PDB file of all heavy atoms in Angstrom:
ATOM      1  N   GLU A 124      17.831   8.655  -5.950  1.00 96.00           N
ATOM      2  CA  GLU A 124      19.029   9.026  -6.815  1.00 96.00           C
ATOM      3  C   GLU A 124      18.717   9.426  -8.220  1.00 96.00           C
ATOM      4  O   GLU A 124      19.178  10.425  -8.791  1.00 96.00           O
ATOM      5  CB  GLU A 124      20.234   8.049  -6.673  1.00 96.00           C
ATOM      6  CG  GLU A 124      20.836   7.858  -5.280  1.00 96.00           C
ATOM      7  CD  GLU A 124      21.920   6.819  -5.256  1.00 96.00           C
ATOM      8  OE1 GLU A 124      22.339   6.323  -6.431  1.00 96.00           O
ATOM      9  OE2 GLU A 124      22.550   6.669  -4.231  1.00 96.00           O
ATOM     10  N   LEU A 125      17.740   8.566  -8.834  1.00 95.00           N
ATOM     11  CA  LEU A 125      17.464   8.809 -10.194  1.00 95.00           C
ATOM     12  C   LEU A 125      16.713  10.160 -10.312  1.00 95.00           C
ATOM     13  O   LEU A 125      16.903  11.009 -11.216  1.00 95.00           O
ATOM     14  CB  LEU A 125      16.626   7.625 -10.813  1.00 95.00           C
ATOM     15  CG  LEU A 125      16.070   7.883 -12.160  1.00 95.00           C
ATOM     16  CD1 LEU A 125      17.278   7.906 -13.191  1.00 95.00           C
ATOM     17  CD2 LEU A 125      15.112   6.770 -12.600  1.00 95.00           C
ATOM     18  N   LEU A 126      15.835  10.286  -9.482  1.00 96.00           N
ATOM     19  CA  LEU A 126      14.989  11.559  -9.516  1.00 96.00           C
ATOM     20  C   LEU A 126      15.843  12.729  -9.167  1.00 96.00           C
ATOM     21  O   LEU A 126      15.684  13.822  -9.834  1.00 96.00           O
ATOM     22  CB  LEU A 126      13.777  11.515  -8.477  1.00 96.00           C
ATOM     23  CG  LEU A 126      12.845  10.408  -8.744  1.00 96.00           C
ATOM     24  CD1 LEU A 126      11.593  10.575  -7.660  1.00 96.00           C
ATOM     25  CD2 LEU A 126      12.298  10.430 -10.121  1.00 96.00           C
ATOM     26  N   ILE A 127      16.716  12.663  -8.321  1.00 96.00           N
ATOM     27  CA  ILE A 127      17.676  13.759  -7.999  1.00 96.00           C
ATOM     28  C   ILE A 127      18.491  14.090  -9.244  1.00 96.00           C
ATOM     29  O   ILE A 127      18.660  15.213  -9.613  1.00 96.00           O
ATOM     30  CB  ILE A 127      18.567  13.517  -6.832  1.00 96.00           C
ATOM     31  CG1 ILE A 127      17.823  13.348  -5.471  1.00 96.00           C
ATOM     32  CG2 ILE A 127      19.686  14.372  -6.666  1.00 96.00           C
ATOM     33  CD1 ILE A 127      18.565  12.905  -4.304  1.00 96.00           C
ATOM     34  N   ALA A 128      19.023  13.042  -9.903  1.00 95.00           N
ATOM     35  CA  ALA A 128      19.842  13.269 -11.143  1.00 95.00           C
ATOM     36  C   ALA A 128      19.088  13.950 -12.140  1.00 95.00           C
ATOM     37  O   ALA A 128      19.487  14.843 -12.860  1.00 95.00           O
ATOM     38  CB  ALA A 128      20.448  11.965 -11.598  1.00 95.00           C
ATOM     39  N   ALA A 129      17.745  13.471 -12.334  1.00 96.00           N
ATOM     40  CA  ALA A 129      16.882  14.068 -13.334  1.00 96.00           C
ATOM     41  C   ALA A 129      16.577  15.465 -13.087  1.00 96.00           C
ATOM     42  O   ALA A 129      16.414  16.392 -13.963  1.00 96.00           O
ATOM     43  CB  ALA A 129      15.670  13.168 -13.457  1.00 96.00           C
ATOM     44  N   SER A 130      16.356  15.826 -11.724  1.00 95.00           N
ATOM     45  CA  SER A 130      15.970  17.232 -11.447  1.00 95.00           C
ATOM     46  C   SER A 130      17.109  18.181 -11.659  1.00 95.00           C
ATOM     47  O   SER A 130      16.953  19.417 -11.606  1.00 95.00           O
ATOM     48  CB  SER A 130      15.416  17.185  -9.931  1.00 95.00           C
ATOM     49  OG  SER A 130      16.599  16.908  -9.049  1.00 95.00           O
ATOM     50  N   GLU A 131      18.332  17.658 -11.620  1.00 95.00           N
ATOM     51  CA  GLU A 131      19.598  18.442 -11.769  1.00 95.00           C
ATOM     52  C   GLU A 131      19.911  18.732 -13.206  1.00 95.00           C
ATOM     53  O   GLU A 131      20.767  19.576 -13.439  1.00 95.00           O
ATOM     54  CB  GLU A 131      20.706  17.871 -11.034  1.00 95.00           C
ATOM     55  CG  GLU A 131      20.450  17.939  -9.505  1.00 95.00           C
ATOM     56  CD  GLU A 131      21.620  17.184  -8.743  1.00 95.00           C
ATOM     57  OE1 GLU A 131      22.511  16.496  -9.302  1.00 95.00           O
ATOM     58  OE2 GLU A 131      21.730  17.381  -7.555  1.00 95.00           O
ATOM     59  N   LEU A 132      19.330  18.066 -14.183  1.00 93.00           N
ATOM     60  CA  LEU A 132      19.510  18.265 -15.568  1.00 93.00           C
ATOM     61  C   LEU A 132      19.030  19.618 -16.009  1.00 93.00           C
ATOM     62  O   LEU A 132      18.014  20.049 -15.731  1.00 93.00           O
ATOM     63  CB  LEU A 132      18.929  17.124 -16.389  1.00 93.00           C
ATOM     64  CG  LEU A 132      19.368  15.701 -16.098  1.00 93.00           C
ATOM     65  CD1 LEU A 132      18.503  14.738 -16.935  1.00 93.00           C
ATOM     66  CD2 LEU A 132      20.886  15.583 -16.584  1.00 93.00           C
ATOM     67  N   GLN A 133      19.890  20.288 -16.923  1.00 90.00           N
ATOM     68  CA  GLN A 133      19.514  21.550 -17.463  1.00 90.00           C
ATOM     69  C   GLN A 133      18.760  21.299 -18.783  1.00 90.00           C
ATOM     70  O   GLN A 133      19.364  21.442 -19.806  1.00 90.00           O
ATOM     71  CB  GLN A 133      20.688  22.434 -17.684  1.00 90.00           C
ATOM     72  CG  GLN A 133      21.460  22.779 -16.417  1.00 90.00           C
ATOM     73  CD  GLN A 133      20.612  23.481 -15.479  1.00 90.00           C
ATOM     74  OE1 GLN A 133      19.941  24.468 -15.838  1.00 90.00           O
ATOM     75  NE2 GLN A 133      20.582  23.096 -14.193  1.00 90.00           N
ATOM     76  N   ALA A 134      17.650  20.839 -18.718  1.00 91.00           N
ATOM     77  CA  ALA A 134      16.800  20.528 -19.908  1.00 91.00           C
ATOM     78  C   ALA A 134      15.262  20.831 -19.644  1.00 91.00           C
ATOM     79  O   ALA A 134      14.849  20.962 -18.531  1.00 91.00           O
ATOM     80  CB  ALA A 134      17.024  19.023 -20.275  1.00 91.00           C
ATOM     81  N   GLU A 135      14.620  20.964 -20.757  1.00 92.00           N
ATOM     82  CA  GLU A 135      13.133  21.171 -20.624  1.00 92.00           C
ATOM     83  C   GLU A 135      12.480  19.876 -20.185  1.00 92.00           C
ATOM     84  O   GLU A 135      12.571  18.951 -20.770  1.00 92.00           O
ATOM     85  CB  GLU A 135      12.598  21.698 -22.072  1.00 92.00           C
ATOM     86  CG  GLU A 135      11.080  21.955 -22.052  1.00 92.00           C
ATOM     87  CD  GLU A 135      10.552  22.337 -23.415  1.00 92.00           C
ATOM     88  OE1 GLU A 135      11.439  22.758 -24.321  1.00 92.00           O
ATOM     89  OE2 GLU A 135       9.422  22.065 -23.792  1.00 92.00           O
ATOM     90  N   THR A 136      11.688  20.086 -19.164  1.00 95.00           N
ATOM     91  CA  THR A 136      10.951  18.878 -18.632  1.00 95.00           C
ATOM     92  C   THR A 136       9.365  19.272 -18.564  1.00 95.00           C
ATOM     93  O   THR A 136       9.098  20.463 -18.215  1.00 95.00           O
ATOM     94  CB  THR A 136      11.396  18.470 -17.286  1.00 95.00           C
ATOM     95  OG1 THR A 136      11.377  19.483 -16.431  1.00 95.00           O
ATOM     96  CG2 THR A 136      12.889  17.955 -17.340  1.00 95.00           C
ATOM     97  N   HIS A 137       8.571  18.266 -18.800  1.00 97.00           N
ATOM     98  CA  HIS A 137       7.099  18.551 -18.635  1.00 97.00           C
ATOM     99  C   HIS A 137       6.442  17.734 -17.565  1.00 97.00           C
ATOM    100  O   HIS A 137       6.982  16.701 -17.276  1.00 97.00           O
ATOM    101  CB  HIS A 137       6.564  18.233 -20.092  1.00 97.00           C
ATOM    102  CG  HIS A 137       6.986  19.355 -21.037  1.00 97.00           C
ATOM    103  ND1 HIS A 137       6.273  20.647 -21.165  1.00 97.00           N
ATOM    104  CD2 HIS A 137       7.986  19.482 -21.998  1.00 97.00           C
ATOM    105  CE1 HIS A 137       6.809  21.376 -22.145  1.00 97.00           C
ATOM    106  NE2 HIS A 137       7.936  20.630 -22.613  1.00 97.00           N
ATOM    107  N   LEU A 138       5.288  18.117 -17.197  1.00 97.00           N
ATOM    108  CA  LEU A 138       4.651  17.524 -16.083  1.00 97.00           C
ATOM    109  C   LEU A 138       4.283  16.012 -16.296  1.00 97.00           C
ATOM    110  O   LEU A 138       4.630  15.213 -15.374  1.00 97.00           O
ATOM    111  CB  LEU A 138       3.453  18.357 -15.582  1.00 97.00           C
ATOM    112  CG  LEU A 138       2.717  17.856 -14.362  1.00 97.00           C
ATOM    113  CD1 LEU A 138       3.665  17.815 -13.134  1.00 97.00           C
ATOM    114  CD2 LEU A 138       1.596  18.769 -14.022  1.00 97.00           C
ATOM    115  N   ALA A 139       3.682  15.810 -17.446  1.00 97.00           N
ATOM    116  CA  ALA A 139       3.324  14.398 -17.632  1.00 97.00           C
ATOM    117  C   ALA A 139       4.468  13.410 -17.620  1.00 97.00           C
ATOM    118  O   ALA A 139       4.407  12.295 -16.908  1.00 97.00           O
ATOM    119  CB  ALA A 139       2.484  14.344 -18.995  1.00 97.00           C
ATOM    120  N   PRO A 140       5.634  13.692 -18.335  1.00 97.00           N
ATOM    121  CA  PRO A 140       6.756  12.804 -18.251  1.00 97.00           C
ATOM    122  C   PRO A 140       7.391  12.712 -16.852  1.00 97.00           C
ATOM    123  O   PRO A 140       7.821  11.688 -16.456  1.00 97.00           O
ATOM    124  CB  PRO A 140       7.681  13.281 -19.256  1.00 97.00           C
ATOM    125  CG  PRO A 140       6.877  14.047 -20.312  1.00 97.00           C
ATOM    126  CD  PRO A 140       5.703  14.602 -19.400  1.00 97.00           C
ATOM    127  N   CYS A 141       7.324  13.863 -16.171  1.00 97.00           N
ATOM    128  CA  CYS A 141       7.854  13.892 -14.859  1.00 97.00           C
ATOM    129  C   CYS A 141       7.153  13.019 -13.954  1.00 97.00           C
ATOM    130  O   CYS A 141       7.618  12.225 -13.008  1.00 97.00           O
ATOM    131  CB  CYS A 141       7.973  15.386 -14.348  1.00 97.00           C
ATOM    132  SG  CYS A 141       9.222  16.418 -15.073  1.00 97.00           S
ATOM    133  N   PHE A 142       5.791  13.100 -14.006  1.00 97.00           N
ATOM    134  CA  PHE A 142       4.878  12.259 -13.133  1.00 97.00           C
ATOM    135  C   PHE A 142       5.142  10.832 -13.501  1.00 97.00           C
ATOM    136  O   PHE A 142       5.087   9.957 -12.568  1.00 97.00           O
ATOM    137  CB  PHE A 142       3.427  12.694 -13.426  1.00 97.00           C
ATOM    138  CG  PHE A 142       2.476  12.268 -12.438  1.00 97.00           C
ATOM    139  CD1 PHE A 142       2.072  13.061 -11.364  1.00 97.00           C
ATOM    140  CD2 PHE A 142       2.012  10.890 -12.469  1.00 97.00           C
ATOM    141  CE1 PHE A 142       1.196  12.550 -10.486  1.00 97.00           C
ATOM    142  CE2 PHE A 142       1.093  10.426 -11.551  1.00 97.00           C
ATOM    143  CZ  PHE A 142       0.640  11.280 -10.505  1.00 97.00           C
ATOM    144  N   GLY A 143       5.217  10.464 -14.791  1.00 97.00           N
ATOM    145  CA  GLY A 143       5.591   9.118 -15.128  1.00 97.00           C
ATOM    146  C   GLY A 143       6.888   8.602 -14.570  1.00 97.00           C
ATOM    147  O   GLY A 143       6.899   7.393 -14.023  1.00 97.00           O
ATOM    148  N   LEU A 144       7.859   9.420 -14.595  1.00 97.00           N
ATOM    149  CA  LEU A 144       9.187   9.043 -14.092  1.00 97.00           C
ATOM    150  C   LEU A 144       9.155   8.741 -12.649  1.00 97.00           C
ATOM    151  O   LEU A 144       9.649   7.741 -12.139  1.00 97.00           O
ATOM    152  CB  LEU A 144      10.238  10.113 -14.468  1.00 97.00           C
ATOM    153  CG  LEU A 144      11.705   9.757 -14.059  1.00 97.00           C
ATOM    154  CD1 LEU A 144      12.361   8.628 -14.944  1.00 97.00           C
ATOM    155  CD2 LEU A 144      12.511  11.025 -14.087  1.00 97.00           C
ATOM    156  N   VAL A 145       8.473   9.654 -11.896  1.00 97.00           N
ATOM    157  CA  VAL A 145       8.303   9.438 -10.469  1.00 97.00           C
ATOM    158  C   VAL A 145       7.530   8.200 -10.097  1.00 97.00           C
ATOM    159  O   VAL A 145       7.889   7.368  -9.146  1.00 97.00           O
ATOM    160  CB  VAL A 145       7.704  10.664  -9.909  1.00 97.00           C
ATOM    161  CG1 VAL A 145       7.349  10.375  -8.408  1.00 97.00           C
ATOM    162  CG2 VAL A 145       8.628  11.928  -9.941  1.00 97.00           C
ATOM    163  N   ALA A 146       6.414   8.000 -10.888  1.00 96.00           N
ATOM    164  CA  ALA A 146       5.621   6.835 -10.621  1.00 96.00           C
ATOM    165  C   ALA A 146       6.322   5.510 -10.921  1.00 96.00           C
ATOM    166  O   ALA A 146       6.244   4.503 -10.233  1.00 96.00           O
ATOM    167  CB  ALA A 146       4.341   6.892 -11.562  1.00 96.00           C
ATOM    168  N   GLY A 147       7.212   5.546 -11.933  1.00 96.00           N
ATOM    169  CA  GLY A 147       8.016   4.308 -12.219  1.00 96.00           C
ATOM    170  C   GLY A 147       8.962   4.040 -11.041  1.00 96.00           C
ATOM    171  O   GLY A 147       9.172   2.898 -10.818  1.00 96.00           O
ATOM    172  N   VAL A 148       9.609   5.099 -10.505  1.00 95.00           N
ATOM    173  CA  VAL A 148      10.495   4.823  -9.439  1.00 95.00           C
ATOM    174  C   VAL A 148       9.731   4.291  -8.201  1.00 95.00           C
ATOM    175  O   VAL A 148      10.210   3.459  -7.387  1.00 95.00           O
ATOM    176  CB  VAL A 148      11.160   6.249  -8.969  1.00 95.00           C
ATOM    177  CG1 VAL A 148      11.809   6.155  -7.668  1.00 95.00           C
ATOM    178  CG2 VAL A 148      12.119   6.621 -10.085  1.00 95.00           C
ATOM    179  N   LEU A 149       8.516   4.685  -7.988  1.00 94.00           N
ATOM    180  CA  LEU A 149       7.631   4.114  -6.885  1.00 94.00           C
ATOM    181  C   LEU A 149       7.195   2.671  -7.153  1.00 94.00           C
ATOM    182  O   LEU A 149       6.695   2.074  -6.265  1.00 94.00           O
ATOM    183  CB  LEU A 149       6.495   5.025  -6.673  1.00 94.00           C
ATOM    184  CG  LEU A 149       6.666   6.520  -6.314  1.00 94.00           C
ATOM    185  CD1 LEU A 149       5.467   7.266  -6.050  1.00 94.00           C
ATOM    186  CD2 LEU A 149       7.532   6.408  -4.923  1.00 94.00           C
ATOM    187  N   GLY A 150       7.401   2.199  -8.493  1.00 95.00           N
ATOM    188  CA  GLY A 150       6.918   0.950  -8.787  1.00 95.00           C
ATOM    189  C   GLY A 150       5.431   0.860  -9.126  1.00 95.00           C
ATOM    190  O   GLY A 150       4.787  -0.256  -9.038  1.00 95.00           O
ATOM    191  N   ILE A 151       4.894   2.034  -9.470  1.00 95.00           N
ATOM    192  CA  ILE A 151       3.391   2.144  -9.853  1.00 95.00           C
ATOM    193  C   ILE A 151       3.282   1.611 -11.271  1.00 95.00           C
ATOM    194  O   ILE A 151       3.906   1.990 -12.166  1.00 95.00           O
ATOM    195  CB  ILE A 151       3.001   3.507  -9.647  1.00 95.00           C
ATOM    196  CG1 ILE A 151       3.011   3.969  -8.199  1.00 95.00           C
ATOM    197  CG2 ILE A 151       1.445   3.573 -10.151  1.00 95.00           C
ATOM    198  CD1 ILE A 151       2.227   3.204  -7.197  1.00 95.00           C
TER     199      ILE A 151
END
Side-chain angles (χ1 to χ4, degrees):
E124 292 183 1
L125 176 63
L126 298 184
I127 292 172
S130 68
E131 293 174 347
L132 294 172
Q133 299 300 313
E135 179 181 339
T136 57
H137 290 276
L138 185 55
C141 288
F142 196 96
L144 184 70
V145 171
V148 166
L149 297 178
I151 299 294

